């Protein structure tokens, strides 16, 4: 399996993306000898447990309790507080093996299990610490898979986010908006890319950005970051191709001008 398997997700309408399947295939790129099928089977097993226990669950609060009981209780999934920055925490295969992960990776497991049994489940746009929403409307609940599936009220969410993002955080209604499947996958991958670059491994960071642009080709900013890495690694022709792709996706006049100026500079560098 290669990047071409991932590229097909980039051509799908967002609701058609199977979030867990995409995350598994992305994880499989770093585990080429591991049969992804056994992890699909595991996710089916989790969904089966949720279905059995949640057969008579009424409302979002009861559904969240079932998810917590199965994923945190029966299967032991929790946040990795001891080695938070370990890249394995953002790889779904490793997360399943270790039963530990980052908030966004664990959230994908919760969302996948909920959706498999027909429940409404979304990742939400909280900064710094990924949370999920179970249910719709006023009866929806916020859940924190990193904290063993704890259900949070509005005050809990604000305290949590200020603890991880700083006291200057201003809670915005946009923080509670649902994210697209693509945005969740990008956020998952960005954790790996950021840690790779922080560790000085720009080659690895570029590989992950290639995966991000494959999954979300219309996310213009991803092409800019990919082109930046390509330039830093001396791959100027590749950087030009990335910027040209970005030019096709952006509608902002100032951004387009900035891209054209950079393309002109790169052309001079190559020549």
């Amino acid at each position: 399996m290669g990047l071409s398997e991932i590229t097909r997700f980039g051509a799908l309408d967002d609701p058609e993306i199977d979030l867990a399947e995409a995350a598994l295939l992305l994880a499989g790129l770093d585990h080429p000898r591991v049969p992804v099928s056994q992890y699909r089977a595991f996710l089916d097993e989790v969904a089966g447990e949720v279905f059995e226990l949640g057969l008579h669950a009424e409302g979002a609060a009861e559904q969240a309790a079932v998810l917590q009981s199965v994923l945190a209780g029966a299967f032991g999934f929790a946040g990795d507080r001891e080695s938070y920055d370990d890249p394995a925490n953002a790889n779904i295969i490793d997360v399943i093996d270790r039963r530990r992960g980052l908030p966004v990776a664990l959230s994908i497991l919760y969302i996948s299990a909920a959706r498999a049994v027909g429940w409404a489940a979304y990742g939400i746009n909280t900064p710094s610490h990924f949370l999920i929403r179970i249910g719709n409307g006023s009866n929806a609940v916020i859940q924190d898979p990193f904290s063993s599936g704890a259900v949070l009220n509005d005050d809990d969410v604000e305290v949590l986010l200020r603890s991880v993002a700083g006291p200057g955080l201003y809670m915005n209604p946009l923080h509670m908006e649902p994210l697209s499947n693509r945005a969740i996958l990008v956020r998952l991958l960005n954790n790996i890319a950021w840690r790779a670059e922080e560790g000085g491994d720009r080659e690895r960071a570029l590989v992950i950005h290639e995966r991000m642009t494959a999954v979300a080709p219309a996310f213009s900013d991803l092409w800019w970051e990919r082109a930046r890495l390509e330039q830093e690694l001396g791959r100027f022709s590749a950087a030009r191709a990335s910027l040209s792709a970005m030019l096709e996706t952006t509608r902002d006049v100032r951004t387009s001008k900035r891209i054209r100026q950079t393309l002109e500079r790169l052309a001079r560098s190559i020549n």
Side-chain angles (χ1 to χ4, degrees), residues 18-21 43 47 107-117 121:
D18 183 323
L19 188 58
E21 176 69 7
L43 293 178
S107 293
I108 288 172
L109 298 180
Y110 275 68
I111 292 169
S112 170
R115 290 178 176 175
V117 298

Side-chain angles (χ1 to χ4, degrees), residues 131 142 151-163 169 171 176:
L131 299 171
I142 303 300
V151 171
L152 309 178
N153 60 34
D154 290 347
D155 290 339
D156 294 331
V157 172
E158 188 164 358
V159 169
L160 170 65
L161 295 183
R162 286 186 174 178
S163 72
L169 175 71
M171 283 299 296
M176 308 306 287

Side-chain angles (χ1 to χ4, degrees), residues 7-40:
T7 303
R8 67 184 177 89
F9 289 104
L12 295 175
D13 290 336
D14 196 83
E16 296 176 345
I17 295 174
D18 183 323
L19 188 58
E21 176 69 7
L24 277 178
L25 293 179
L26 286 164
L29 294 174
D30 293 326
H31 293 288
R33 293 182 176 84
V34 173
V36 174
S37 58
Q38 71 186 51
Y39 293 90
R40 291 192 189 102

Side-chain angles (χ1 to χ4, degrees), residues 26-250:
L26 286 164
L29 294 174
D30 293 326
H31 293 288
R33 293 182 176 84
V34 173
V36 174
S37 58
Q38 71 186 51
Y39 293 90
R40 291 192 189 102
F42 174 79
L43 293 178
D44 287 343
E45 180 185 355
V46 172
E49 292 285 336
V50 171
F51 178 78
E52 290 293 332
L53 191 60
L55 201 56
H56 301 293
E58 296 183 3
E62 290 188 14
Q63 292 169 359
V66 169
L67 292 170
Q68 182 181 41
S69 178
V70 172
L71 283 144
F75 289 98
F77 284 102
D80 187 348
R81 299 180 186 277
E82 295 181 1
S83 52
Y84 188 88
D85 288 325
D86 187 335
N89 285 324
N91 181 292
I92 291 295
I93 287 176
D94 291 325
V95 170
I96 291 172
D97 286 342
R98 298 166 66 243
R99 300 294 199 267
R100 293 291 181 270
L102 290 176
V104 63
L106 294 168
S107 293
I108 288 172
L109 298 180
Y110 275 68
I111 292 169
S112 170
R115 290 178 176 175
V117 298
W119 297 346
Y122 314 91
I124 55 176
N125 193 31
T126 44
S128 300
H129 189 97
F130 201 88
L131 299 171
I132 64 173
R133 189 177 80 197
I134 304 299
N136 291 309
S138 60
N139 292 322
V141 298
I142 303 300
Q143 195 164 16
D144 182 6
F146 189 79
S147 297
S148 300
V151 171
L152 309 178
N153 60 34
D154 290 347
D155 290 339
D156 294 331
V157 172
E158 188 164 358
V159 169
L160 170 65
L161 295 183
R162 286 186 174 178
S163 72
V164 295
L169 175 71
Y170 173 73
M171 283 299 296
N172 187 311
L174 291 176
H175 293 160
M176 308 306 287
E177 289 295 312
L179 289 173
S180 68
N181 291 316
R182 277 193 180 83
I184 295 173
L185 292 169
V186 166
R187 191 152 166 177
L188 176 72
L189 289 168
N190 195 53
N191 278 284
I192 305 173
W194 181 83
R195 284 166 175 77
E197 195 163 0
E198 282 289 297
D201 192 348
R202 287 182 293 183
E203 290 279 0
R204 173 65 172 166
L206 177 56
V207 166
I208 303 303
H209 275 278
E210 289 169 353
R211 295 175 188 178
M212 284 194 273
T213 52
V215 168
F219 286 24
S220 295
D221 289 350
L222 297 179
W223 291 104
W224 183 265
E225 289 301 308
R226 175 173 167 173
R228 175 184 61 79
L229 287 165
E230 287 164 338
Q231 290 178 73
E232 290 175 1
L233 291 167
R235 300 174 188 175
F236 300 116
S237 294
R240 288 183 68 186
S242 293
L243 289 170
S244 296
M246 183 181 180
L247 197 59
E248 293 177 4
T249 61
T250 187

Side-chain angles (χ1 to χ4, degrees), residues 245-261:
M246 183 181 180
L247 197 59
E248 293 177 4
T249 61
T250 187
R251 297 293 178 266
D252 183 78
V253 174
R254 285 188 294 184
T255 300
S256 295
K257 181 179 179 181
R258 183 186 181 194
I259 296 169
R260 293 182 192 282
Q261 290 172 340

